[in-house]
């Protein structure tokens, strides 16, 4: 079995953002030379997510508005923020949107369903964060 590990660096200019990272993951798959296996992509920070969905800007606005209703930004509204942080909402948003995705690799390509793309979800941005890509197989 072969394996390939890489890190993508993220640094969004907005506090909250959704970034299509499919092309970067495909680049890592090409670098790996792996034709059959599995590709794990995970956020390495507890206030950001990796998830799969449609590359449609209206849907991304819907996600962000829905998350804001579920866990509105508030300096005082979260016990977590008594630590002096202000990102209690971001931890909750990250948990709803998930930590990682696993995509099958078939014939050297990410084996997606129709319209699937991989996104990085940022909920406490404006700083450098990492996403891990780990591909295993033959
Ligand atoms: Zn925190």
């Amino acid at each position: 079995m072969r394996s390939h590990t890489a890190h993508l660096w993220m640094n969004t200019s907005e506090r909250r953002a959704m970034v299509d990272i499919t092309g970067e993951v495909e680049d890592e798959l090409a670098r790996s030379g792996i034709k059959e296996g599995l590709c794990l992509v995970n956020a390495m920070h507890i206030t950001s997510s990796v998830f799969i969905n449609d590359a449609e800007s209206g849907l991304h606005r819907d996600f962000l508005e829905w998350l804001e209703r579920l866990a509105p930004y508030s300096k005082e509204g979260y016990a977590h923020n008594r630590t002096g942080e202000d990102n209690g909402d971001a931890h909750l948003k990250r948990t709803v949107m998930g930590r990682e995705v696993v995509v099958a690799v078939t014939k050297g390509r990410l084996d997606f369903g129709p319209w699937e793309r991989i996104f990085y979800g940022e909920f406490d941005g404006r700083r450098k964060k990492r996403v891990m890509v780990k591909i295993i197989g033959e």
Side-chain angles (χ1 to χ4, degrees):
M1 191 196 71
R2 291 155 63 185
S3 74
H4 175 80
T5 305
H7 293 96
L8 311 179
W9 285 96
M10 313 300 298
N11 190 351
T12 62
S13 56
E14 305 289 322
R15 186 179 178 94
R16 285 177 279 281
M18 292 183 170
V19 182
D20 189 335
I21 57 172
T22 312
E24 288 162 278
V25 177
E26 286 171 338
D27 289 346
E28 294 304 330
L29 177 56
R31 256 176 226 125
S32 78
I34 290 169
K35 302 297 180 200
E36 296 291 326
L38 293 172
C39 176
L40 166 78
V41 187
N42 71 270
M44 299 196 79
H45 300 263
I46 51 181
T47 54
S48 52
S49 292
V50 172
F51 64 96
I52 289 180
N53 219 298
D54 193 0
E56 197 279 305
S57 60
L59 178 64
H60 295 186
R61 202 164 59 240
D62 291 337
F63 271 130
L64 289 170
E65 288 174 8
W66 175 65
L67 289 166
E68 205 55 37
R69 288 195 297 275
L70 280 176
Y73 174 78
S74 163
K75 273 198 162 81
E76 285 80 33
Y78 298 95
H80 177 63
N81 290 352
R82 288 185 210 135
T83 62
E85 293 194 73
D86 72 342
N87 64 4
D89 68 307
H91 290 276
L92 301 181
K93 288 166 175 143
R94 180 274 168 104
T95 301
V96 168
M97 295 305 287
R99 172 182 182 267
E100 78 279 306
V101 300
V102 177
V103 182
V105 174
T106 305
K107 296 179 180 161
R109 308 201 54 175
L110 296 173
D111 203 342
F112 287 127
W115 305 108
E116 286 189 331
R117 303 281 293 179
I118 304 171
F119 294 92
Y120 173 73
E122 178 61 79
F123 308 113
D124 185 20
R126 303 189 197 115
R127 55 196 170 102
K128 282 181 80 176
K129 291 185 175 179
R130 275 183 309 162
V131 170
M132 173 180 276
V133 181
K134 183 132 195 159
I135 305 159
I136 59 171
E138 295 292 341

